[in-house]
Amino acid sequence: MNESTVVLLVLSLLGWLWWDSRGVAERATIAARGYCGNAGVTFLNDTVAWQKMRLKRNRQGRMQLQRTYFFEFASDMQQRYRGQIIMLGKKVESVSLDVFRAAE
């Protein structure tokens, strides 16, 4: 394998990773928005931000990318709080919200 082939393979892998990550981030945004709506808080900025990525085995024992995103929400529009959503592959693994003051 020559050098240009290796460079092309690396660039292709990076392009695929970016494309796949955008799709997962969109799913995470939709899930976070829905979770906030069910919790009675306001999902802010209409986006999630990438925090970390690692390999993890799913329930079937296959390796998948686990991506962790954070987002911000507000309960009373006075203070911002942070939430976290973990995606395993393209599925939501967990969603959590920081402790927040309930709106009066």
Side-chain angles (χ1 to χ4, degrees), residues 87-102:
M87 305 289 289
L88 184 59
K90 295 181 191 244
K91 296 183 179 179
V92 176
E93 189 172 44
S94 69
V95 182
S96 61
L97 302 177
D98 283 349
V99 176
F100 59 92
R101 181 178 40 183

Side-chain angles (χ1 to χ4, degrees), residues 31-45 71-84 95-104:
R33 185 182 305 118
Y35 192 87
C36 286
N38 290 338
V41 297
T42 304
F43 181 63
L44 300 175
N45 304 330
F71 58 91
E72 292 184 326
F73 68 95
S75 61
D76 58 6
M77 300 311 284
Q78 298 295 316
Q79 184 174 351
R80 290 176 172 257
Y81 299 95
R82 202 167 186 175
Q84 177 177 288
V95 182
S96 61
L97 302 177
D98 283 349
V99 176
F100 59 92
R101 181 178 40 183
E104 296 174 7

Side-chain angles (χ1 to χ4, degrees), residues 56-64 88-89 91:
K56 184 179 176 187
R57 293 192 185 275
N58 64 15
R59 291 182 183 170
Q60 292 78 32
R62 294 189 202 124
M63 294 299 282
Q64 287 189 301
L88 184 59
K91 296 183 179 179

Side-chain angles (χ1 to χ4, degrees), residues 18 20-36 42-52 67-73 80-87 89 92 94-97:
W18 177 82
D20 187 59
S21 293
R22 287 305 324 138
V24 173
E26 288 174 18
R27 288 175 185 238
T29 299
I30 292 166
R33 185 182 305 118
Y35 192 87
C36 286
T42 304
F43 181 63
L44 300 175
N45 304 330
D46 202 38
T47 191
V48 296
W50 176 76
Q51 191 171 11
K52 65 181 174 180
R67 297 172 177 98
T68 303
Y69 299 94
F70 71 89
F71 58 91
E72 292 184 326
F73 68 95
R80 290 176 172 257
Y81 299 95
R82 202 167 186 175
Q84 177 177 288
I85 184 164
I86 300 173
M87 305 289 289
V92 176
S94 69
V95 182
S96 61
L97 302 177

